[in-house]
């Protein structure tokens, strides 16, 4: 047996083998299992506002494709710096209330490229324990001294700052809405700390962009802390229904990152069709706040139905964790729900702390109120078994 098959069978025995589930997506956002054709309600999608299927997003994507072709043909610093990237960057800068913005290939590439550009071997990074893997990988590439503070625990962060701030560059990295628990970062208190200890503050708004703030800019806007955030990061792959990512910051910071962020420098620019979709989506979140209000209403419907039956700690957002405790039980429940036509994911250790395995539901505008209620009822039944 080669080392790969022995590794795979070990993972399988431990119930930890991940595998792919091919699905076919209908034009109304429903998904069907490719193998059996079984219809599933998708409670796992980040396409919160259903913008991936919005007619204007699709039309603008077509237009860009027709005008500029399938691929950029080069990195931005070579001959690939199409004017259309600058249009989108200006829009993003305005949306986020910053001087400038810079596009990256994906959120993963943003975090893994920006963090090492900001902190090096002689610097220090303070990172929330529940931060996304792309942030963690960025920290490792940076080779800076890494201090991870307990999730959302600013007392712990301050203790670490007092002890380890040092005299070099110090960077604090957080998410504004955490992808596993759907909870908010206390941005105002954090901004005060950052100021007191003279650190750079980077906030990942992957799950907040499009959904919070008067203009849909994110939680930074909603909390009124724009000026205290040095680097606001966000993605187009979630609520904006497209692909790619960005940071918004000062013009100096952007000019610096154009020169220093390796994932920006050494990678082909995003395809025009993707930029068309993102550009239309940014316009829509600013002009159609009704959609995010509708989404929050749907999330409340789901949570209130569960709360009436005694469930709690369901979080403040459209990402809803339902604590199950035991890993095996979470897996069994997820597969039972799958049989009933509900696609939700079981999140287990080591992704979350031991004993806190959970089912994670995300609410999108693809889901009708009837289907949300149906899911809540099925979930309550499964919990009682
Ligand atoms: C999804 C996600 C990313 C990665 O973004 P992609 O564009 O999918 O690569 C980064 N950070 C957080 C918090 C995310 O949830």
């Amino acid at each position: 047996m080669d080392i790969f098959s022995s590794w795979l069978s070990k993972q399988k025995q431990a119930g930890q083998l991940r595998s792919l589930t091919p699905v076919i997506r209908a034009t109304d956002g429903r998904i069907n299992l490719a193998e059996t054709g079984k219809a599933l309600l998708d409670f796992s999608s980040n396409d919160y506002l259903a913008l991936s299927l919005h007619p204007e997003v699709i039309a603008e994507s077509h237009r860009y494709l027709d005008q500029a072709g399938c691929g950029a043909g080069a990195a931005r610093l070579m001959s690939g710096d199409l004017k259309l990237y600058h249009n989108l960057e200006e829009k993003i800068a305005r949306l986020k209330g910053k001087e400038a913005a810079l596009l990256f290939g994906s959120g993963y590439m943003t975090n893994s490229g920006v963090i090492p550009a900001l902190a090096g071997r002689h610097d220090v990074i303070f990172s929330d324990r529940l931060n996304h893997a792309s942030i963690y990988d960025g920290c490792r590439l940076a080779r800076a001294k890494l201090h991870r503070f307990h999730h959302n625990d600013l007392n712990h962060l301050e203790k670490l700052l007092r002890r380890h701030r040092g005299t070099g560059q110090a960077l604090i990295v957080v998410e504004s809405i955490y992808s596993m628990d759907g909870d908010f970062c206390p941005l105002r208190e954090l901004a005060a700390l950052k100021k007191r200890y003279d650190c750079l503050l980077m906030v990942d708004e992957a799950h907040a962009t499009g959904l919070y703030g008067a203009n849909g800019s994110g939680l930074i806007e909603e909390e009124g802390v724009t000026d205290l955030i040095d680097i606001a990061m966000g993605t187009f792959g979630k609520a904006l229904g497209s692909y790619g990512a960005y940071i918004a910051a000062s013009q100096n910071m952007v000019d610096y990152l154009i020169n220093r962020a390796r994932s920006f420098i050494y990678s082909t620019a995003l395809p025009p069709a993707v930029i068309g979709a993102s550009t239309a989506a940014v316009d829509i979140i600013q002009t159609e706040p009704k959609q995010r209000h509708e989404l929050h209403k749907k999330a409340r419907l789901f949570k209130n139905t569960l709360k009436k039956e005694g469930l709690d700690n369901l979080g403040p957002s459209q990402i809803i964790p339902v604590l199950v405790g035991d890993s095996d039980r979470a897996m069994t429940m997820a597969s039972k729900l799958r049989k009933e036509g509900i696609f939700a994911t079981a999140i287990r250790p080591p992704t979350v702390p031991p004993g806190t395995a959970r089912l994670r539901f995300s609410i999108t505008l693809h889901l009708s109120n009837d289907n949300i209620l149906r899911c809540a009822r099925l979930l309550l039944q499964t919990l009682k078994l």
Side-chain angles (χ1 to χ4, degrees):
M1 212 161 45
D2 64 51
I3 55 166
F4 305 113
S5 31
S6 73
W7 185 88
L8 287 168
S9 59
K10 235 185 259 155
Q11 290 295 111
K12 192 162 185 182
Q13 262 166 21
Q16 304 225 332
L17 188 65
R18 300 182 202 217
S19 61
L20 297 169
T21 310
V23 297
I24 292 165
R25 194 154 170 248
T27 48
D28 61 0
R30 276 184 300 186
I31 54 175
N32 298 293
L33 285 178
E35 208 174 300
T36 57
K38 185 178 172 56
L40 294 173
L41 293 170
D42 189 357
F43 281 85
S44 233
S45 169
N46 303 314
D47 188 14
Y48 300 120
L49 299 175
L51 289 184
S52 73
L53 293 170
H54 193 292
E56 281 167 42
V57 174
I58 293 175
E60 195 70 348
S61 181
H62 274 300
R63 222 169 3 255
Y64 276 54
L65 174 65
D66 290 340
Q67 281 171 16
C70 289
R76 300 267 306 267
L77 284 169
M78 306 296 278
S79 61
D81 187 25
L82 307 178
K83 178 74 172 62
L84 48 90
Y85 302 124
H86 294 267
N87 296 342
L88 178 54
E89 282 168 347
E90 280 161 26
K91 252 186 217 298
I92 289 291
R94 273 198 302 277
L95 174 71
K96 303 297 286 191
K98 290 291 187 187
E99 280 176 10
L102 189 65
L103 300 175
F104 285 80
S106 68
Y108 185 91
M109 289 174 71
T110 311
N111 287 333
S112 58
V114 168
I115 295 170
L118 295 177
R121 218 190 289 262
H122 305 292
D123 302 321
V124 35
I125 302 176
F126 301 88
S127 170
D128 188 287
R129 282 242 170 120
L130 279 197
N131 273 341
H132 192 260
S134 57
I135 296 176
Y136 192 57
D137 289 358
C139 295
R140 289 212 290 201
L141 278 171
R143 290 189 283 178
K145 188 96 185 72
L146 176 62
H147 298 283
R148 296 167 79 203
F149 56 94
H150 302 318
H151 176 52
N152 270 347
D153 183 344
L154 297 189
N155 289 328
H156 187 220
L157 171 60
E158 181 155 25
K159 208 186 264 175
L160 292 174
L161 281 166
R162 237 183 276 129
R163 216 174 288 160
H164 305 290
R165 164 66 186 82
T167 51
Q169 185 83 264
L171 171 68
I172 303 174
V173 201
V174 296
E175 295 178 29
S176 60
I177 298 184
Y178 284 87
S179 56
M180 289 302 137
D181 287 1
D183 55 347
F184 297 165
C185 175
L187 285 177
R188 278 189 214 195
E189 294 84 343
L190 182 63
L193 259 189
K194 155 240 144 82
K195 226 169 139 182
R196 199 167 330 135
Y197 287 87
D198 187 27
C199 304
L200 286 173
L201 176 55
M202 174 166 176
V203 178
D204 179 334
E205 294 234 75
H207 290 278
T209 310
L211 303 184
Y212 294 89
N215 292 297
S217 160
L219 213 61
I220 295 175
E221 181 189 24
E222 182 139 327
E223 294 293 314
V225 290
T226 301
D227 293 341
L228 291 165
I229 310 296
D230 299 285
I231 306 104
M233 177 273 182
T235 67
F236 297 111
K238 286 169 179 150
L240 287 119
S242 171
Y243 188 68
Y246 60 84
I247 59 102
S250 68
Q251 185 67 55
N252 273 345
M253 177 68 81
V254 165
D255 292 344
Y256 174 81
L257 290 174
I258 289 172
N259 286 272
R260 293 296 301 274
R262 294 170 64 83
S263 62
F264 173 83
I265 301 169
Y266 297 106
S267 189
T268 302
L270 281 163
V274 166
I275 302 299
S278 300
T279 304
V282 172
D283 286 340
I284 290 169
I285 61 164
Q286 286 177 282
T287 53
E288 298 181 24
K290 250 183 24 212
Q291 300 205 3
R292 58 180 163 273
H293 299 152
E294 180 67 25
L295 176 77
H296 295 311
K297 229 162 86 186
K298 280 183 191 290
R300 280 197 299 273
L301 174 69
F302 186 69
K303 285 188 275 195
N304 287 339
T305 312
L306 298 178
K307 272 181 201 157
K308 269 189 226 139
E309 299 295 322
L311 267 64
D312 52 10
N313 293 325
L314 302 172
S317 75
Q318 78 285 0
I319 299 169
I320 299 150
V322 173
L323 210 68
V324 174
D326 179 67
S327 284
D328 290 340
R329 180 153 185 252
M331 287 307 283
T332 315
M333 284 185 62
S335 74
K336 276 204 182 109
L337 288 172
R338 190 81 52 100
K339 285 202 189 89
E340 299 287 345
I342 307 279
F343 195 113
T345 34
I347 315 280
R348 298 169 290 167
T351 307
V352 291
T356 68
R358 66 202 64 187
L359 294 172
R360 178 184 180 279
F361 296 84
S362 62
I363 304 296
T364 71
L365 292 187
H366 291 300
L367 298 162
S368 70
N369 288 349
D370 281 351
N371 282 333
I372 287 172
L373 288 172
R374 189 176 115 78
C375 174
R377 274 198 301 271
L378 283 166
L379 169 62
L380 288 166
Q381 274 171 24
T382 326
L383 275 167
K384 280 180 195 136
L385 292 178

